[in-house]
C-alpha cells in the first residue's frame, strides 16, 4: 500500500492524511477540511464532503448525499445521530429515539428522554455522594491511606 495515498479511519469517518496531488502531509483546518503543507491543495473527510454537499443542496436525502459524495449511508446516519446534521422535510426517514422510539430529526434521544436521562444521572450522582463513594485517589482514602470499597466479612 502506498503510504502517500493512505487514508485512515477513526470511527466510520474516513480522514485523509496525505495529499493526493503531491503526497504532502495534510493539516486539519476544521469542519472536515484539510490543507496540504506542501502545495495548499484542500481535501475533505466524510464530514466535510457531506457538509459541502448540503451547503449547495439543502434538503437532500441520505441516498442523494451518499451517491454524490461516496460517503456510506451508515456514516451519514451516524453523523445525524451525533447531531452534526438534522433531518428536514423527510417523508418517513426519521431516526428514532433510542429510549422511547419517537421520531426525531437528529441525535439519539428525544427531548423528553434526554431530560429523563440527565435527571437519572444527577440522581445517581447524588446517591453516590450521600453514600460517600467518590472518584479519585485510585481506590484509597486520602486521609488514612486505606482501601475504599472493601467490605469486611
Amino acid at each position: 500500500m502506498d503510504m502517500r495515498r493512505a487514508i485512515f479511519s477513526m470511527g466510520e469517518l474516513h480522514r485523509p492524511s496525505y495529499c493526493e496531488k503531491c503526497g504532502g502531509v495534510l493539516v486539519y483546518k476544521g469542519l472536515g477540511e484539510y490543507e496540504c503543507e506542501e502545495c495548499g491543495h484542500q481535501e475533505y473527510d466524510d464530514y466535510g464532503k457531506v457538509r459541502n454537499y448540503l451547503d449547495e443542496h439543502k434538503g437532500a436525502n441520505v441516498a442523494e448525499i451518499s451517491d454524490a459524495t461516496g460517503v456510506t449511508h451508515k456514516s451519514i446516519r451516524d453523523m445525524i445521530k451525533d447531531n452534526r446534521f438534522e433531518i428536514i422535510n423527510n417523508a418517513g426517514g426519521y431516526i428514532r429515539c433510542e429510549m422511547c422510539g419517537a421520531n426525531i430529526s437528529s441525535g439519539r434521544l428525544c427531548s423528553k428522554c434526554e431530560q429523563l436521562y440527565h435527571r437519572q444521572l444527577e440522581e445517581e450522582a447524588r446517591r453516590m455522594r450521600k453514600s460517600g463513594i467518590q472518584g479519585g485517589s485510585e481506590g484509597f482514602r486520602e486521609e488514612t491511606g486505606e482501601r475504599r470499597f472493601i467490605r469486611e466479612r
Side-chain angles (χ1 to χ4, degrees):
M1 175 182 202
D2 183 4
M3 286 304 291
R4 302 206 284 178
R5 301 206 188 279
I7 295 178
F8 63 94
S9 175
M10 295 179 86
E12 290 296 315
L13 297 180
H14 297 290
R15 295 183 169 108
S17 53
Y18 297 98
C19 178
E20 64 184 31
K21 293 209 179 232
C22 73
V25 174
L26 294 174
V27 177
Y28 182 68
K29 294 295 185 182
L31 299 174
E33 181 180 325
Y34 299 77
E35 187 175 299
C36 178
E37 288 180 323
E38 303 292 322
C39 69
H41 175 70
Q42 292 182 336
E43 292 190 33
Y44 300 92
D45 62 17
D46 286 353
Y47 171 70
K49 291 173 188 176
V50 171
R51 186 175 171 276
N52 288 340
Y53 185 79
L54 287 173
D55 282 347
E56 295 183 19
H57 303 90
K58 299 201 184 323
N61 64 35
V62 172
E64 293 168 345
I65 297 167
S66 180
D67 289 344
T69 63
V71 178
T72 67
H73 288 225
K74 182 185 181 317
S75 291
I76 296 168
R77 283 192 305 272
D78 287 345
M79 288 182 226
I80 293 168
K81 285 184 176 184
D82 290 340
N83 281 321
R84 291 177 176 230
F85 301 108
E86 185 175 337
I87 297 173
I88 57 171
N89 302 331
N90 202 7
Y94 288 94
I95 56 176
R96 300 212 177 262
C97 172
E98 293 179 1
M99 285 179 73
C100 72
N103 288 337
I104 55 177
S105 58
S106 71
R108 296 184 179 278
L109 303 174
C110 68
S111 60
K112 288 180 184 178
C113 289
E114 188 167 8
Q115 287 177 351
L116 176 63
Y117 173 74
H118 286 288
R119 283 190 198 127
Q120 289 172 343
L121 286 178
E122 292 163 2
E123 187 57 37
E124 180 64 24
R126 283 187 195 96
R127 250 191 320 273
M128 290 181 75
R129 185 171 184 202
K130 284 180 183 177
S131 69
I133 299 173
Q134 295 179 5
S137 302
E138 297 184 14
F140 291 93
R141 293 191 189 277
E142 290 181 21
E143 52 291 339
T144 64
E146 66 184 357
R147 289 206 73 121
R148 283 195 254 179
F149 316 123
I150 296 178
R151 301 194 195 282
E152 294 183 29
R153 296 180 189 172

